Amino acid sequence: MKPLTEQEIRAAFVNCSKGEAKRLSVPRDLADRPWDDLDFLGWRDPQAPDRAYLVTELDARPIAVALRCPGPASWQVRRSMCSMCLTAHTGGVSLMVAPKAGKARQQGNSVGDYICSDLACSLYVRGKKDAGAGSRPQESLTLEEKVQRTVANVAAFLAKVTA
Protein backbone atom coordinates (compact mmCIF):
# COMPACT_ATOMS: atom_id res chain seq x y z
CA MET A 1 0.00 0.00 0.00
CA LYS A 2 1.30 3.46 -0.76
CA PRO A 3 1.75 5.81 2.20
CA LEU A 4 -1.21 8.09 2.86
CA THR A 5 -1.39 11.48 4.53
CA GLU A 6 -3.89 12.44 7.19
CA GLN A 7 -5.73 14.63 4.66
CA GLU A 8 -5.97 11.75 2.13
CA ILE A 9 -7.31 9.45 4.85
CA ARG A 10 -9.95 11.92 6.06
CA ALA A 11 -11.11 12.59 2.47
CA ALA A 12 -11.46 8.84 1.74
CA PHE A 13 -14.28 8.06 4.21
CA VAL A 14 -17.42 6.84 2.47
CA ASN A 15 -19.71 5.96 5.38
CA CYS A 16 -19.57 9.02 7.60
CA SER A 17 -20.11 12.73 7.15
CA LYS A 18 -17.27 15.11 6.34
CA GLY A 19 -17.63 16.55 9.83
CA GLU A 20 -17.30 13.11 11.42
CA ALA A 21 -14.27 12.36 9.24
CA LYS A 22 -12.71 15.66 10.30
CA ARG A 23 -13.19 14.86 14.01
CA LEU A 24 -12.09 11.22 14.07
CA SER A 25 -8.74 10.20 15.50
CA VAL A 26 -6.09 9.46 12.83
CA PRO A 27 -2.83 7.79 13.93
CA ARG A 28 -0.02 10.28 14.51
CA ASP A 29 2.66 7.78 13.47
CA LEU A 30 1.67 7.49 9.79
CA ALA A 31 5.28 8.01 8.67
CA ASP A 32 6.40 5.07 10.84
CA ARG A 33 3.83 2.55 9.59
CA PRO A 34 5.16 -0.46 7.62
CA TRP A 35 3.40 0.66 4.43
CA ASP A 36 5.17 -1.91 2.21
CA ASP A 37 3.70 -4.71 4.36
CA LEU A 38 0.16 -3.30 4.58
CA ASP A 39 -2.77 -4.27 2.41
CA PHE A 40 -4.89 -1.84 4.39
CA LEU A 41 -4.36 0.58 7.24
CA GLY A 42 -6.51 -0.20 10.24
CA TRP A 43 -6.56 1.29 13.72
CA ARG A 44 -8.66 1.50 16.87
CA ASP A 45 -9.63 4.93 18.19
CA PRO A 46 -7.77 5.49 21.49
CA GLN A 47 -10.44 7.96 22.68
CA ALA A 48 -13.35 5.66 21.76
CA PRO A 49 -12.50 1.95 22.17
CA ASP A 50 -15.70 0.91 20.39
CA ARG A 51 -14.58 2.61 17.16
CA ALA A 52 -12.13 1.45 14.51
CA TYR A 53 -11.20 2.59 11.03
CA LEU A 54 -10.02 0.85 7.88
CA VAL A 55 -8.41 2.48 4.82
CA THR A 56 -7.29 0.71 1.65
CA GLU A 57 -6.83 1.36 -2.04
CA LEU A 58 -9.46 0.26 -4.54
CA ASP A 59 -9.16 1.19 -8.20
CA ALA A 60 -5.98 3.18 -7.38
CA ARG A 61 -7.72 5.51 -4.92
CA PRO A 62 -8.07 5.39 -1.14
CA ILE A 63 -11.35 4.31 0.39
CA ALA A 64 -11.99 4.40 4.13
CA VAL A 65 -14.75 3.14 6.41
CA ALA A 66 -15.65 3.78 10.01
CA LEU A 67 -16.37 0.66 12.07
CA ARG A 68 -18.08 -0.03 15.38
CA CYS A 69 -16.83 -2.86 17.58
CA PRO A 70 -18.64 -3.97 20.71
CA GLY A 71 -16.75 -4.23 23.96
CA PRO A 72 -15.24 -7.59 24.94
CA ALA A 73 -17.82 -10.18 25.91
CA SER A 74 -17.42 -13.44 27.76
CA TRP A 75 -17.80 -15.46 24.54
CA GLN A 76 -14.73 -13.73 23.08
CA VAL A 77 -12.35 -15.84 25.15
CA ARG A 78 -13.04 -18.64 22.68
CA ARG A 79 -10.92 -19.12 19.61
CA SER A 80 -12.30 -17.24 16.59
CA MET A 81 -11.08 -16.74 13.03
CA CYS A 82 -10.74 -13.44 11.20
CA SER A 83 -12.74 -13.45 7.98
CA MET A 84 -10.20 -11.16 6.29
CA CYS A 85 -6.87 -12.92 6.87
CA LEU A 86 -8.03 -16.30 8.28
CA THR A 87 -5.93 -15.93 11.42
CA ALA A 88 -7.38 -17.64 14.50
CA HIS A 89 -7.15 -15.81 17.81
CA THR A 90 -8.24 -16.51 21.34
CA GLY A 91 -10.17 -13.36 22.17
CA GLY A 92 -8.48 -11.41 19.35
CA VAL A 93 -11.31 -11.26 16.81
CA SER A 94 -14.19 -8.78 17.00
CA LEU A 95 -17.40 -8.32 15.10
CA MET A 96 -16.84 -4.99 13.38
CA VAL A 97 -19.88 -3.28 11.96
CA ALA A 98 -19.80 -0.53 9.34
CA PRO A 99 -22.71 1.74 8.53
CA LYS A 100 -23.47 1.43 4.81
CA ALA A 101 -22.63 4.37 2.60
CA GLY A 102 -25.12 6.79 1.05
CA LYS A 103 -28.88 6.47 1.36
CA ALA A 104 -28.59 3.05 3.04
CA ARG A 105 -26.67 4.75 5.89
CA GLN A 106 -29.47 7.26 6.33
CA GLN A 107 -31.87 4.34 6.67
CA GLY A 108 -29.68 2.83 9.41
CA ASN A 109 -28.36 -0.12 7.39
CA SER A 110 -25.01 -1.67 8.25
CA VAL A 111 -22.83 -4.68 7.48
CA GLY A 112 -20.44 -6.55 9.73
CA ASP A 113 -17.65 -9.07 9.66
CA TYR A 114 -15.31 -10.76 12.12
CA ILE A 115 -11.94 -9.02 11.89
CA CYS A 116 -8.71 -9.14 13.92
CA SER A 117 -9.31 -6.81 16.87
CA ASP A 118 -6.01 -5.01 16.28
CA LEU A 119 -6.66 -4.77 12.50
CA ALA A 120 -3.15 -6.15 11.82
CA CYS A 121 -4.29 -8.73 9.27
CA SER A 122 -1.56 -7.79 6.78
CA LEU A 123 1.15 -8.43 9.38
CA TYR A 124 -0.35 -11.78 10.44
CA VAL A 125 -0.51 -12.98 6.82
CA ARG A 126 3.14 -12.04 6.27
CA GLY A 127 4.32 -13.59 9.54
CA LYS A 128 5.45 -10.19 10.89
CA LYS A 129 3.09 -10.53 13.84
CA ASP A 130 2.28 -13.77 15.68
CA ALA A 131 -1.12 -14.62 17.13
CA GLY A 132 0.21 -17.72 18.90
CA ALA A 133 0.42 -21.43 18.23
CA GLY A 134 -2.13 -22.75 15.76
CA SER A 135 -3.21 -19.29 14.68
CA ARG A 136 -2.54 -19.79 10.98
CA PRO A 137 -3.96 -22.82 9.16
CA GLN A 138 -1.53 -25.03 7.26
CA GLU A 139 -1.89 -24.04 3.61
CA SER A 140 -0.19 -24.77 0.32
CA LEU A 141 -0.76 -21.21 -0.92
CA THR A 142 2.19 -18.92 -1.53
CA LEU A 143 2.55 -15.72 0.46
CA GLU A 144 1.46 -13.73 -2.59
CA GLU A 145 -1.71 -15.86 -2.91
CA LYS A 146 -2.49 -15.36 0.80
CA VAL A 147 -2.01 -11.60 0.39
CA GLN A 148 -4.27 -11.60 -2.68
CA ARG A 149 -6.94 -13.50 -0.75
CA THR A 150 -6.80 -10.99 2.10
CA VAL A 151 -7.03 -8.07 -0.34
CA ALA A 152 -10.01 -9.75 -2.03
CA ASN A 153 -11.74 -10.31 1.34
CA VAL A 154 -11.25 -6.64 2.30
CA ALA A 155 -12.53 -5.51 -1.12
CA ALA A 156 -15.60 -7.76 -0.76
CA PHE A 157 -16.37 -6.25 2.65
CA LEU A 158 -16.00 -2.72 1.29
CA ALA A 159 -18.25 -3.61 -1.65
CA LYS A 160 -20.97 -4.52 0.85
CA VAL A 161 -20.47 -1.21 2.66
CA THR A 162 -20.68 0.85 -0.53
CA ALA A 163 -23.46 -1.18 -2.25
Side-chain angles (χ1 to χ4, degrees):
M1 182 170 182
K2 78 173 187 78
L4 297 171
T5 65
E6 180 177 340
Q7 293 77 21
E8 290 172 315
I9 291 170
R10 290 186 190 283
F13 278 90
V14 296
N15 68 339
C16 63
S17 70
K18 288 182 181 180
E20 290 169 320
K22 185 177 180 181
R23 290 186 300 274
L24 63 82
S25 176
V26 174
R28 298 285 172 228
D29 64 344
L30 291 175
D32 299 329
R33 295 290 171 130
W35 292 100
D36 290 338
D37 292 324
L38 296 180
D39 305 308
F40 66 88
L41 172 65
W43 72 97
R44 301 290 292 255
D45 189 331
Q47 282 87 35
D50 65 332
R51 292 182 185 210
Y53 308 98
L54 186 150
V55 185
T56 193
E57 291 179 47
L58 287 179
D59 300 323
R61 66 180 181 89
I63 182 171
V65 294
L67 304 163
R68 292 276 183 175
C69 3
S74 60
W75 63 268
Q76 286 183 316
V77 296
R78 293 188 303 193
R79 196 162 193 76
S80 302
M81 183 175 282
C82 173
S83 60
M84 300 293 169
C85 66
L86 304 184
T87 300
H89 298 270
T90 301
V93 173
S94 298
L95 174 62
M96 297 205 184
V97 179
K100 291 190 85 169
K103 191 172 201 111
R105 177 179 180 256
Q106 295 168 352
Q107 295 171 346
N109 295 330
S110 60
V111 295
D113 227 333
Y114 289 94
I115 304 173
C116 293
S117 297
D118 60 2
L119 296 149
C121 298
S122 302
L123 301 179
Y124 291 120
V125 168
R126 289 169 174 79
K128 307 261 179 177
K129 195 165 184 180
D130 185 20
S135 61
R136 299 284 311 156
Q138 190 69 16
E139 297 182 291
S140 60
L141 298 176
T142 65
L143 175 60
E144 186 58 35
E145 290 170 327
K146 292 176 189 177
V147 168
Q148 288 174 355
R149 178 182 58 204
T150 300
V151 169
N153 290 341
V154 171
F157 178 70
L158 292 176
K160 290 184 225 173
V161 172
T162 58

